[in-house]
Amino acid sequence: MRFNTLPGSILIATAVLTSALSAAPARSAELSIEAPNVVVISPKIVTSGQPTAAALSQLASQGFKAVIYLAPLTVHDAIAGEGDIVRRQGLEFINIPIQFGQPGEADFEQFAEAMGRLQDQKVLVHCQVNMRASTMTFLYRVIKAHEPPEQAYEAVARVWSPGGPWKRLIISQLRKAGIAFDPY
């Protein structure tokens, strides 16, 4: 007796496609942050620009346990009371006020300490546009979490191409850690 495998193959392909399509909305529904340049790094790390107050107030319901804000609280588009909005949900709020034109090694060390302490928790790292956040997260991933720089840099490149003091910070920190990588 001979069986035609084509219908079975079509059935399997249809099932796989249907499963993939039905899973896609569920994943995007799990993470709904109204903010510019949202980049999901992993199930535990998300970077973005400045979220709206409404988005900040919904972070706990999405599993976040902490927010690291990398801009001064006085920047023009800061959300008034962001720390209070975050803390009311039982989340940790950390502000590392990095001056955009003067990022330094101490800023990275403070960020790396916070990320290391929060490594088992879901964290939103943000700034105004996701330039500070993407860069500091890249450095953490490569220097502290030992991820390949080529892979980790893709998240930065989705947002911007660091120049000036930011490129100098990247290069100096990578060299200090003995990592050969030239950011493009």
Side-chain angles (χ1 to χ4, degrees):
M1 182 188 252
R2 210 167 155 191
F3 293 99
N4 185 348
T5 58
L6 183 58
S9 298
I10 292 173
L11 182 60
I12 291 170
T14 302
V16 168
L17 182 59
T18 301
S19 173
L21 291 174
S22 65
R27 275 193 300 251
S28 63
E30 287 175 18
L31 181 68
S32 177
I33 300 175
E34 188 178 335
N37 299 319
V38 176
V39 179
V40 178
I41 304 295
S42 72
K44 300 280 187 193
I45 302 172
V46 177
T47 65
S48 78
Q50 179 64 61
T52 64
L56 289 167
S57 69
Q58 298 171 9
L59 292 175
S61 68
Q62 296 181 51
F64 286 94
K65 300 297 182 191
V67 173
I68 301 176
Y69 181 36
L70 298 179
L73 297 172
T74 56
V75 295
H76 74 280
D77 61 349
I79 300 297
E82 177 173 336
D84 293 333
I85 294 168
V86 170
R87 286 186 203 101
R88 273 195 297 269
Q89 300 168 74
L91 279 64
E92 184 171 350
F93 179 76
I94 300 167
N95 178 233
I96 303 171
I98 301 171
Q99 296 297 321
F100 189 78
Q102 300 174 356
E105 181 175 351
D107 296 319
F108 172 64
E109 289 173 0
Q110 189 177 359
F111 176 73
E113 183 278 323
M115 288 293 286
R117 192 170 45 76
L118 299 168
Q119 69 183 346
D120 295 327
Q121 299 177 40
K122 188 172 182 181
V123 178
L124 172 64
V125 180
H126 83 88
C127 53
Q128 291 172 278
V129 186
N130 197 0
M131 293 178 175
R132 293 173 181 96
S134 63
T135 303
M136 289 295 188
T137 301
F138 161 77
L139 287 172
Y140 175 78
R141 291 172 65 199
V142 173
I143 295 170
K144 302 297 184 179
H146 308 289
E147 293 183 31
E150 299 79 14
Q151 175 185 334
Y153 198 74
E154 290 174 6
V156 176
R158 289 180 59 185
V159 178
W160 74 313
S161 180
W166 286 94
K167 188 169 186 175
R168 287 191 295 276
L169 177 69
I170 291 170
I171 292 169
S172 71
Q173 293 305 295
L174 292 177
R175 283 187 183 152
K176 182 178 177 183
I179 299 168
F181 176 75
D182 188 20
Y184 44 91

